[in-house]
Structure formats: C-alpha cells, structure tokens
Amino acid sequence: MSPKLPVNNSQTISDYLNLNRVESSETSSEESSRFAFDDSAFLARRETLGIRFELELLKPDVLLRERGIDHTITVFGSTRFVSHEQALKLEEGAKTPEEIAEAKQAILHSKYYESAYEFGRMVAAYNATQLLANNKLHICTGGGPGIMEAANRGASESGDQTIGFNISLPREQHPNPYVTEGLSFRFHYFALRKMHFMLRARAIVAFPGGFGSFDELFEVLTLMQTEKVDILPVILVGNGFWSEMVNFQKMVEFGVIDKSDVQLIHFVETAEEAWKVIANWYQLA
C-alpha cells in the first residue's frame, strides 16, 4: 500500500480563488507576456508564496504609518456575544425552548459586549486629551462581530480611529461597520495577521472567547515568555471564565510554566480596571 500523504496541508491561494491548473499555467503568449506585478494568476502560484507573505506584511504597515498610528491596544474575544439591547430582542422573539435558552445565554454574555464597548470609549477619551499622534493608543481588533465589534464601536462612536484586521474564512467574515474607513485590512494568512496584532501592540485585552481567542492569547504569552517581544500588559477580563477554562496555577505546580510566567497576566472584571492597568503601566495622564 502506497502512502497517501497530502501535497498541501492548507488552503492555497489558487484554491481560494478557484483557479484550476490550466488557468495558472499561462500557456498563451498573451498570458505569459503580462507584467509579473499585474498577473494575478502568476501571483497566486505556490512559488510566489513568499511574495504574498511580504505583501500582507507590508500593506497594512505602510497604510498605518501614513495615518500616524504607532501604538495600539489589541482586543480579543468571542464573535458570538451581542449587545444587551440585541439580547433583549432575541428574548422577545424567542418561541422554542432552544431559542429561549439561547436568548438567556445571550443576555448573560452581553455584559462582556458592553464592557468591551466601554473599554473602547475609555481609550478614545484618553486619545482626545492627546495632541501628538505618537502619544495615542488605538483600538485594534480582528474586525469581526462580537467583542471585536464592541471595542471598535466604543472607540468609533467616541470619534476615534479604530483598526480591523479581518481574515478570509470558509464562512465569509465581513468587517464590522465601526472600523475606520481606510483602516480595515483583509488577510489570507493567519500568521501575518497575528504579526500585525503584535507589531504596534502596547497591551493585549482578552475577553472570554473560543479557539481563536485562546490561540491569539497563548501566542502572545509565548512570545513574551521566550523574550521574542518586550513585556507588555496582558489583561484577561472575566475572572470567572478564565479561572474555569485555564488553571494557570496547576500548570505551575505541574512544572510546565514558571510562577513568573503567570505574573505576565492581569486578571480584571471591568473595563475600568483594564484601562487602569494600562494607564499605570505607561504612566498615562
């Protein structure tokens, strides 16, 4: 029996763009004579993967520099949480036992949406007191719904610029409407998106979330643990959730992390407490 190893273990750009082998082979002179930079089929080939990586790294960096954005606060959290107002509407319209249970859960979790919204407002209020662009901190999220929307919305409705790093997904995720015009970026590669979450980050604020939030959180903790980046405030909002989902103390006792690793994390309950950690860390007025 011959081994059945896959050629690729990820979705390629050709797959994403639905390009077949004939379309990317460029057999005619018309196709082969196109300028390389203007040839989408050529740029989608596996051999140009490194170029696409560079472009995804470069484009947001150039545009953010042009807007004078040097410092961000990256906010992670569930895409599934809704505002308290929307949760009440779900409750009003619930008919079946499943819908009623879903509405009750939405109301329970809406406190995190409201907290992220309030945090965005606090960051914007600080920025309003600063004349110099390089003294400002801007809300940066994955650009999607839920906690991301809430943080972007809080800052946006307070008149501040906010950033969204969106990602192409099997179920297409569209940018939330509270990301500032011209600051909504779209990525194909998670690795490059993660780099941008960190490049300007001066703090990480993580609300309860799923696999994506955990992935992003532990990536940040690993980078600090291994001294790949400078230590910055990592703030986990919602003690009840985090203490139940991750027993950091047990990890220390088991010997897989050190006590000093746990000290990288700040546990808080409210948006005000989260902002206080950042303000104290950087001695903000």
Side-chain angles (χ1 to χ4, degrees), residues 46-191:
R46 185 167 182 80
E47 294 88 345
T48 56
L49 178 65
I51 296 172
R52 295 196 300 276
F53 275 11
E54 185 175 1
L55 291 173
E56 285 207 352
L57 178 64
L58 189 60
K59 180 180 177 180
D61 187 54
V62 168
L63 296 181
L64 288 169
R65 287 181 188 278
E66 288 178 353
R67 297 289 279 265
I69 294 175
D70 296 323
H71 312 297
T72 61
I73 298 174
T74 300
V75 180
F76 300 139
S78 176
T79 62
R80 304 184 183 194
F81 298 161
V82 298
S83 68
H84 188 68
E85 180 183 8
Q86 190 173 344
L88 291 176
K89 289 180 181 178
L90 288 175
E91 185 181 44
E92 289 175 8
K95 299 291 189 295
T96 67
E98 292 78 12
E99 289 173 342
I100 292 170
E102 184 180 341
K104 285 182 178 179
Q105 189 176 62
I107 290 172
L108 179 66
H109 292 162
S110 66
K111 65 182 180 181
Y112 296 118
Y113 182 103
E114 301 301 335
S115 182
Y117 175 81
E118 186 59 30
F119 181 74
R121 287 179 60 85
M122 289 179 177
V123 174
Y126 162 76
N127 286 342
T129 68
Q130 302 302 307
L131 296 177
L132 299 177
N134 61 4
N135 285 337
K136 296 182 178 183
L137 292 154
H138 295 282
I139 292 290
C140 173
T141 77
I147 292 298
M148 296 177 281
E149 174 190 290
N152 287 135
R153 180 181 176 185
S156 176
E157 290 186 351
S158 298
D160 205 11
Q161 295 188 106
T162 73
I163 303 154
F165 292 138
N166 217 261
I167 187 81
S168 59
L169 295 172
R171 292 183 178 181
E172 196 62 40
Q173 175 178 294
H174 298 286
N176 70 66
Y178 303 103
V179 175
T180 300
E181 192 71 24
L183 294 179
S184 178
F185 302 97
R186 190 182 186 196
F187 293 83
H188 181 74
Y189 301 105
F190 271 102

Side-chain angles (χ1 to χ4, degrees), residues 260-278:
S260 59
D261 296 329
V262 180
Q263 292 168 357
L264 297 172
I265 305 168
H266 304 262
F267 295 91
V268 304
E269 286 296 334
T270 67
E272 186 175 4
E273 290 173 356
W275 174 248
K276 187 175 180 181
V277 170
I278 297 168

Side-chain angles (χ1 to χ4, degrees), residues 11-56:
Q11 182 193 51
T12 67
I13 283 291
S14 295
D15 293 334
Y16 181 73
L17 297 175
N18 292 318
L19 295 175
N20 58 43
R21 186 169 294 183
V22 173
E23 288 176 303
S24 60
S25 63
E26 310 205 22
T27 54
S28 73
S29 293
E30 181 184 355
E31 292 168 327
S32 63
S33 65
R34 290 191 186 113
F35 285 120
F37 60 80
D38 194 34
D39 189 338
S40 58
F42 175 72
L43 290 175
R45 294 172 66 107
R46 185 167 182 80
E47 294 88 345
T48 56
L49 178 65
I51 296 172
R52 295 196 300 276
F53 275 11
E54 185 175 1
L55 291 173
E56 285 207 352

Side-chain angles (χ1 to χ4, degrees), residues 179-211:
V179 175
T180 300
E181 192 71 24
L183 294 179
S184 178
F185 302 97
R186 190 182 186 196
F187 293 83
H188 181 74
Y189 301 105
F190 271 102
L192 276 299
R193 182 182 186 233
K194 287 179 181 179
M195 286 188 70
H196 276 289
F197 278 142
M198 287 299 297
L199 281 175
R200 288 172 169 79
R202 302 300 173 253
I204 303 294
V205 180
F207 288 81
F211 288 162

Side-chain angles (χ1 to χ4, degrees), residues 244-255:
E244 189 170 345
M245 296 300 117
V246 188
N247 194 326
F248 290 103
Q249 188 55 44
K250 282 292 182 184
M251 293 176 75
V252 173
E253 293 173 11
F254 204 78

